[in-house]
Amino acid sequence: MQAFLEYVVQGLVDEPDAVEITPEDRNGMTVYELRLAQKDVGKVIGRKGNTIQAIRALLQVGAIKKGVRCSLELVED
């Protein structure tokens, strides 16, 4: 799942080297924390949040197929 997220997010942003995805286990669920360059945050969120919601939906479908639970959080430092 992490490789999928890296592939999708790096394709969207101007600075793919700044993309950092950290998995964290919370109550039997894997939460992927996404950190990126400040100028790329808007590209990943998209208009009205549509892009990040689409990424989350694809992540959920992939997780269901594998029988795991996961979600995506955008972390702004």
Side-chain angles (χ1 to χ4, degrees):
M1 300 308 310
Q2 184 171 351
F4 164 74
L5 283 174
E6 287 175 356
Y7 176 77
V8 171
V9 174
Q10 287 177 348
L12 291 173
V13 298
D14 288 334
E15 294 184 34
D17 295 334
V19 173
E20 183 181 325
I21 299 173
T22 308
E24 185 177 306
D25 288 325
R26 295 184 194 164
N27 300 329
M29 177 182 207
T30 304
V31 177
Y32 292 101
E33 293 181 345
L34 174 63
R35 290 178 176 79
L36 357 131
Q38 187 64 34
K39 69 177 189 173
D40 289 330
V41 171
K43 290 181 180 181
V44 172
I45 293 174
R47 195 168 296 214
K48 296 183 182 178
N50 288 336
T51 305
I52 197 159
Q53 289 300 334
I55 294 169
R56 285 178 176 146
L58 290 171
L59 181 66
Q60 297 260 332
V61 169
I64 289 170
K65 282 188 169 189
K66 290 188 173 197
V68 294
R69 293 179 45 200
C70 61
S71 68
L72 176 66
E73 269 185 19
L74 183 62
V75 179
E76 295 183 57
D77 295 329

